[in-house]
Amino acid sequence: MWTSVLLCVLAVSASQAAGQRKDDSTQVFYATLVTDECIIERIPNILNRFQSQNSHLAVEDLRVTGMCQSVPDGTECTCGSNYTWNEVCQTDLTVNGSFISTNLSIIFDENPSALTEGLSVTMKTEFSTLRGFESLWIGRYWYWLVDVRGPSCDLRQTGIERIVIDFNMTFVNKVNTQDLERLTNKVAKDLNVKIVLETRGIVDVVMPANLTCYGEHRTLLCTFPGELGTPAWHLKKRQEEHSITNGSESVVMPTTGGSKLILSKISKLWAASAVLDVSLQPQITITASQVFPVCKDKSQVIVTVRCENNQSSEQSPEPYKVEWESRDIKSIQKETNLSSDAYGAQALIQCDSMLKPQLTCSFQNRCGEKRNATIAINVITGDDVFCAAEDGWEITKADFTAVLPCRNAHGQRHRKCNNGPTGAWWGQVVSACVNRDVDSVLQSAKTVGIGLGSTEKNVADVFSRLKSITANTQTINSSANMNASVDVLASLRGNLSRIGDSAVDDLLDSSSSLLEESLKEAWLAEISSDNMSLAEKYLSSVERLIDMTNINGSHTKPNVQVEACTSTPLSQCTNTVFSNSVSLLGSDASSVKTIGFKNLQGFFPHKNSSKELNSIVVSTTTEKHLEEVQVQIKFDLQKRRLKDVMLECVFWDSRSKDWSSEGCDWGGPSDETRCTCRHLSSYAVLMSKTPLKVALLDEITVAGLSVSIISLIISLGIEVTIWGAVVKTEVSYLRHIAHVNIGLCLLVADCCFLASSSNFPLLCKVFAVVKHFCYLSMFFWMLCLSSVLLHQAVFVFHKVSKSQYLRYSLVLGYVCPLLIVAVTFLINDGGADGKYFSKDTCWLVYISWMDGSIHTFIIPVGVIVFINVFTMLVTIMKHLDHPKNIKQCYEKEKTAAKNAMRSVILLTPIFGVTWIFGFAVLLLDLTDGVVVELANYSFTVLNAFQGLSILLTTCLGDKLVVEALLNRIKKKDPASIKDGSVKKK
């Protein structure tokens, strides 16, 4: 074994004899000794003789640089670590630099050769004092030009702004970095220039000597002489350079005289030529020429299977060992590699096999790690039903799904062959194809925080690209692209701890673009690979990402708005997003951020079909975690809440995967837009699709109306029967005319009310018009009756003729209601559904106070009831009027009290006083609780049985009517008359 020994002999350089630093300058001579390894220790003693004979000569730094051995073709030498072959094994230490000067006289006052000579002498004078200095080369000149323009931007002249001169120095020995920096600064000062240096060979990087397997941990060391400050690690691959920082897969640590880089979970991202020899793992795609081979007329078929690695390294492809395995396959014939990343095999399959044949290819890397992929071959026999080939889809067995790769996109397409009574038929194509640009951003998002490059720059780059992609909604208008886009946000949420200000605007723009209304189908046709819905993943990701930012004030995008404020225990922090305000009441939460999301509420899964979201989703987060908090939200409802419709304040519960009202309270109908919650979350408002209903109210109504109809028929029959007997005076005539018309109108209205349960909209409109008219007529006839009684009580001796009263009553009782109904019908778009009447109730519409067609019924009825109550009070006061004779006072008071009570009982039904409860039902909301339910029961019972009350009060409660009725019955019963006459005798 021979050894190559490099001798560095230092002497005075002849080229530097004229310099001012003659005593410190050196010249290097090289000598190569080829000697036996066993006598290396004796060499220093032999070389000391040269040093003693010449005081200017020094022999230093004796090193073994390589090992040589004899080979058949000559001698083969191998250089040691940190040495390269250049006729001999020597240290490859170079310094590349540039002079940068704005002093143009440096080039115009001297000719180029003199300038080069002057720079050379100055630099050699200084740098030759460094041990190991070998050579200096001064290269090209670079000019930076600048245009000088006038006020009108016209070009006046072009001048030289600065000059750059390149140079190169080589050393054969390690250089102290502090000395190199000191001399560089001195030369720059002497020449009045700026010098930029780039060195190679000063820093040593210790790499792992053995093979690095996928997912392993590795430590790299960087050492250098002297003080270089804080070193920076970089990775170069594919003409790109990435800085290495602290991340999820890399840790940079300072050490004494250097730096340490710890890599964890090594993947292909860290593989680079001459840096890390990483044994990669494949990403296998397996396909077959016939996944469903037809065996109807054959005993066996040959299927070609292809396995392709989709994850290869461009710089150093992994030499995989590929093996094939099979189940229930007669034989396999391996094919020659189709390409550097694809392998093929042919399988001979028996058609009478009882099992499903399978073929598996496995890739084994240099570390012995295996990955495999399996494909099943589903044979189509004589009795099997299948779908014929169509538009690129091959023959597929019924009840199986065919798979094709995406065209110009990442992913696969699926199409099921369905089996029906009439045969097999193709289903719809389900595409999981992801746009290549979207997939590229997703892959970058997954590695943004591993430490490869500046995390802040990586994040800004990902958001910038995502913004550009999502700005064109056609690019992401599919379920697969929408899933991938949301996965970008989810990946960034898991890989980051903070987001710089430069990325905030792009984050909000891309988040807003994903919520465009035109993308609704892409959201609703989501392809979820886990238990989390796409909307929930989006919400949690954007919440967390915005929480990482340092947002202040308000930031508004078309579909996302963010506002931040500062909360203290003594102040209230309020944020407003899209007209929805969120207030944090007296808490030390520091920064409070509120986010409003338009359209997102429609993308959440909702288990309760009887309710719907009636607000946007509003999310609130705080800088400090709070156990107890009171949040008040004022929502801008998207739909007006109808009367008796329940609202529910909810938040998204990630445990139940649904909206929950736990810890949230609604402000009630008096403050219907307010919600108060005792925790931070993402809030919304649920609204019932139908109003609340009082239990058994419909049953009571039907029963009461049925009884009323029968009672009214009996009442009208009694009136007809005893008309001649009771109508003997003008007052009785007027009173019974009113009774008959009141009963008739109420009878028709009640019949329509029972019949309006029909589902035909036209009949519903007719019933609504008839009920509107008949109920109004009933009240106007009540007004006629009360006016007669009031006139009789006040003007005792004034008489009204029948004809005058009849004309007055007909106009008031029928013409006025008809005009009200006609005008109401016409001004509401000709009785349109939702404006004049509701098809759900076949009755007038109530929207809110003084809004809705029902007010054309409420206002006249209210005025009439008020007048009728006034008439009742006057009548009662007349009965309670005290006589002048004190002795008769007691008896008169008793009689007056009885008459007053009788008047109240008799007049209340016929005057419609019980409808006062209807105003309470109209003004109160069922969401207020039990009191409102009692009012509804009272109104329903009193008015549903109003026909019975009229029968009892106006007919059976009137002595004259009862006596006339009994007399009428006695006249029709001969036996009763005879018995009566006998008894009389």
Side-chain angles (χ1 to χ4, degrees), residues 827-883:
I827 65 175
N828 286 282
D829 296 341
D833 179 22
K835 290 191 175 183
Y836 174 74
F837 79 104
S838 170
K839 64 180 180 182
D840 297 324
T841 60
C842 291
W843 184 228
L844 305 180
V845 175
Y846 175 82
I847 299 175
S848 63
W849 179 243
M850 297 306 293
D851 187 7
S853 61
I854 198 170
H855 290 88
T856 60
F857 175 78
I858 294 172
I859 294 174
V861 169
V863 173
I864 293 171
V865 170
F866 176 79
I867 296 173
N868 291 351
V869 171
F870 175 75
T871 301
M872 285 180 57
L873 293 175
V874 171
T875 304
I876 293 171
M877 294 299 294
K878 284 292 183 180
H879 287 298
L880 295 176
D881 189 17
H882 297 289

Side-chain angles (χ1 to χ4, degrees), residues 530-596:
D530 49 28
N531 294 327
M532 184 181 291
S533 68
L534 188 60
E536 181 183 2
K537 184 187 294 185
Y538 170 89
L539 176 62
S540 61
S541 300
V542 176
E543 277 182 344
R544 180 70 184 112
L545 290 172
I546 291 180
D547 195 36
M548 297 177 191
T549 65
N550 190 28
I551 285 181
N552 293 311
S554 180
H555 298 257
T556 304
K557 302 297 178 183
N559 299 308
V560 174
Q561 184 176 4
V562 183
E563 188 167 299
C565 64
T566 302
S567 176
T568 65
L570 301 178
S571 66
Q572 175 176 299
C573 173
T574 301
N575 292 324
T576 302
V577 290
F578 296 127
S579 302
N580 299 266
S581 65
V582 179
S583 300
L584 201 63
L585 307 178
S587 63
D588 186 17
S590 191
S591 178
V592 181
K593 297 172 184 173
T594 300
I595 318 166

Side-chain angles (χ1 to χ4, degrees), residues 521-660:
E521 292 185 4
W523 279 94
L524 299 180
E526 62 178 86
I527 304 172
S528 182
S529 58
D530 49 28
N531 294 327
M532 184 181 291
S533 68
L534 188 60
E536 181 183 2
K537 184 187 294 185
Y538 170 89
L539 176 62
S540 61
S541 300
V542 176
E543 277 182 344
R544 180 70 184 112
L545 290 172
I546 291 180
D547 195 36
M548 297 177 191
T549 65
N550 190 28
I551 285 181
N552 293 311
S554 180
H555 298 257
T556 304
K557 302 297 178 183
N559 299 308
V560 174
Q561 184 176 4
V562 183
E563 188 167 299
C565 64
T566 302
S567 176
T568 65
L570 301 178
S571 66
Q572 175 176 299
C573 173
T574 301
N575 292 324
T576 302
V577 290
F578 296 127
S579 302
N580 299 266
S581 65
V582 179
S583 300
L584 201 63
L585 307 178
S587 63
D588 186 17
S590 191
S591 178
V592 181
K593 297 172 184 173
T594 300
I595 318 166
F597 302 93
K598 281 187 178 180
N599 302 325
L600 182 61
Q601 70 277 2
F603 306 147
F604 274 94
H606 187 37
K607 299 177 183 178
N608 191 345
S609 59
S610 64
K611 298 179 180 180
E612 61 182 352
L613 283 167
N614 194 28
S615 72
I616 67 170
V617 177
V618 177
S619 173
T620 297
T621 59
T622 59
E623 186 177 359
K624 296 180 181 179
H625 178 70
L626 301 175
E627 295 293 337
E628 295 183 2
V629 66
Q630 186 174 4
V631 183
Q632 181 173 296
I633 310 106
K634 295 285 287 185
F635 282 101
D636 181 23
L637 300 181
Q638 294 180 327
K639 295 180 181 178
R640 177 181 291 179
R641 186 189 77 91
L642 300 178
K643 183 178 178 297
D644 299 334
V645 173
M646 175 65 75
L647 292 184
E648 190 175 5
C649 299
V650 294
F651 72 98
W652 181 257
D653 189 353
S654 58
R655 295 169 299 178
S656 62
K657 306 297 180 186
D658 199 8
W659 296 102
S660 171

Side-chain angles (χ1 to χ4, degrees), residues 895-916:
T895 305
K898 291 180 181 179
N899 291 333
M901 291 298 298
R902 182 175 179 274
S903 298
V904 171
I905 295 173
L906 293 177
L907 296 177
T908 295
I910 201 65
F911 278 1
V913 179
T914 55
W915 282 72
I916 292 177

